[in-house]
């Protein structure tokens, strides 16, 4: 089970939550049959409530079946990585915020890590989200404006093991309090197996399915070969290439050690196997 996320919480309070076991109607969420509906919520991590403040808490839970085995969408296994999450801010009419009503903004170039009201739209929202994550005890370590106007990215980590998923999902929960469209996720990681011959390519189709709790529906929206993405059907790796499945930073290629960036995950990627 995951280590608790926030070292700032009182240990006694953590233990109270971690000893709790809740059940809910799984048939209402398509996670069980109506004739055997009850499934379990098991606390995995406790955070401060960034909205209602202390003593309120946000409790991140895993879902288990009636027989105490992980529910099918609970992909909680060990891994070691850090994540970047991208999101795009939308207006209440569903139109991308700040874009011309009858056209598109200028081409990419001045927006990535940009400054100025005509380049980095809605910085106040990105900053509020960042501060709320800090208040909650989430390991958020950065944010930046992305290549498209009103597209922002935040970085979670570094974390060890399953902790990264806990922090990422609670950060997304906080962001869900603001109208927006999430677009993608990148995972930076390093494993011994991936540094062996052809170690990157052995399980591409398995990973593509595992990244997306909805099979491949979420992934199919992002890896399209356009806008610096790879093809969802094919595996590729390249040094300094943002259009490849696996982006190998130039310094990693030169030093023959470090980390790789997996650019395949859909935004709804969970706690991956």
């Amino acid at each position: 089970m995951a280590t608790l996320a926030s070292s700032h919480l009182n240990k006694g309070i953590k233990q109270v939550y971690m000893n709790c076991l809740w059940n809910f109607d799984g048939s209402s969420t398509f996670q069980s049959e109506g004739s055997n509906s009850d499934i379990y919520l098991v606390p995995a991590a406790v955070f401060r409530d960034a909205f209602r403040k202390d003593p309120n808490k946000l409790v991140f839970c895993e879902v288990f079946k009636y027989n105490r085995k992980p529910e099918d969408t609970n992909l909680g296994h060990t891994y070691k990585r850090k994540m970047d999450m991208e999101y795009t801010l939308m207006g209440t009419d569903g139109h991308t915020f700040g874009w011309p009503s009858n056209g598109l903004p200028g081409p990419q170039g001045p927006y990535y890590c940009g400054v100025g009201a005509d380049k980095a739209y809605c910085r106040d929202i990105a900053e509020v989200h960042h501060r709320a994550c800090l208040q909650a005890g989430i390991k958020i370590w950065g944010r930046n404006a992305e290549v498209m106007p009103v597209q922002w990215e935040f970085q979670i980590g570094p974390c060890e093991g399953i902790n990264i998923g806990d922090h990422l999902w609670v950060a997304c929960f906080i962001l869900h309090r603001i109208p927006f469209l999430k677009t993608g996720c990148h995972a930076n990681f390093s494993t011994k197996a991936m540094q062996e011959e052809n170690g990157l390519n052995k399980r591409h189709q398995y990973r593509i399915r595992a990244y997306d709790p909805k099979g491949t529906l979420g992934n199919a929206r992002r890896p399209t070969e356009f806008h610096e993405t790879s093809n969802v059907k094919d595996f590729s790796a390249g040094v300094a290439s943002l259009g490849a499945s696996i982006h190998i930073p130039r310094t990693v290629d030169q030093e023959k050690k470090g980390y790789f960036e997996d650019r395949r995950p859909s935004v709804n990627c969970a706690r991956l196997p």
Side-chain angles (χ1 to χ4, degrees):
M1 190 59 65
T3 305
L4 283 177
S6 174
S7 61
H8 301 293
L9 291 174
N10 180 275
K11 292 183 178 180
I13 295 176
K14 288 183 184 179
Q15 197 59 48
V16 168
Y17 281 106
M18 295 304 287
N19 287 338
C20 291
L21 179 67
W22 296 291
N23 66 282
F24 69 96
D25 178 8
S27 63
S28 297
T29 55
F30 304 105
Q31 292 174 298
S32 65
E33 298 294 331
S35 59
N36 187 19
S37 183
D38 283 4
I39 54 179
Y40 299 103
L41 279 178
V42 178
V46 182
F47 297 86
R48 294 191 190 95
D49 190 326
F51 304 100
R52 291 173 293 178
K53 309 301 181 183
D54 289 334
N56 299 289
K57 307 300 175 189
L58 298 176
V59 182
F60 180 76
C61 297
E62 293 191 89
V63 179
F64 289 83
K65 299 178 181 178
Y66 68 95
N67 56 7
R68 304 301 179 93
K69 293 183 178 181
E71 200 274 331
D72 294 342
T73 58
N74 181 359
L75 303 177
H77 300 280
T78 57
Y79 56 85
K80 183 182 292 186
R81 65 196 178 159
K82 69 182 176 68
M83 284 203 170
D84 304 334
M85 181 69 78
E86 298 172 5
Y87 60 95
T88 302
L89 297 165
M90 312 293 289
T92 55
D93 59 355
H95 188 72
T96 307
F97 188 85
W99 282 32
S101 58
N102 295 313
L104 299 174
Q108 70 180 58
Y111 310 110
Y112 179 68
C113 296
V115 296
D118 60 337
K119 301 295 187 298
Y121 305 159
C122 301
R123 184 183 297 275
D124 55 339
I125 295 178
E127 290 188 353
V128 166
H129 173 250
H130 192 102
R131 292 191 192 116
C133 287
L134 291 175
Q135 176 65 31
I138 293 171
K139 290 186 177 180
I140 185 170
W141 65 270
R143 70 183 184 280
N144 62 272
E146 266 296 330
V147 296
M148 188 180 80
V150 304
Q151 182 186 28
W152 287 82
E153 176 179 294
F154 65 90
Q155 296 88 33
I156 299 295
C159 294
E160 292 188 359
I162 202 127
N163 262 5
I164 187 69
D166 301 340
H167 286 247
L168 179 63
W169 273 73
V170 177
C172 287
F173 167 79
I174 291 174
L175 192 54
H176 263 295
R177 305 289 285 267
I178 305 171
F180 75 105
L181 172 66
K182 297 180 294 182
T183 58
C185 182
H186 299 155
N188 296 347
F189 61 96
S190 178
T191 66
K192 182 176 182 295
M194 287 180 57
Q195 298 184 36
E196 297 175 353
E197 184 177 358
N198 200 35
L200 297 177
N201 195 22
K202 293 178 180 177
R203 310 189 77 188
H204 174 67
Q205 293 302 326
Y206 171 78
R207 291 292 181 187
I208 284 293
R209 289 192 300 271
Y211 276 138
D212 186 354
K214 295 184 178 180
T216 58
L217 296 178
N219 270 312
R221 297 176 60 187
R222 179 172 175 81
T224 61
E225 294 187 279
F226 302 105
H227 307 106
E228 298 181 341
T229 64
S230 59
N231 189 308
V232 70
K233 297 180 181 179
D234 302 317
F235 175 85
S236 59
V239 176
S241 174
L242 299 184
S245 307
I246 297 293
H247 163 225
I248 304 172
R250 195 175 303 281
T251 55
V252 171
D253 180 62
Q254 293 170 346
E255 298 176 7
K256 307 303 179 186
K257 62 181 179 179
Y259 69 95
F260 299 148
E261 178 188 38
D262 194 336
R263 297 179 61 81
R264 295 173 291 178
S266 60
V267 73
N268 60 342
C269 70
R271 315 165 95 203
L272 312 184

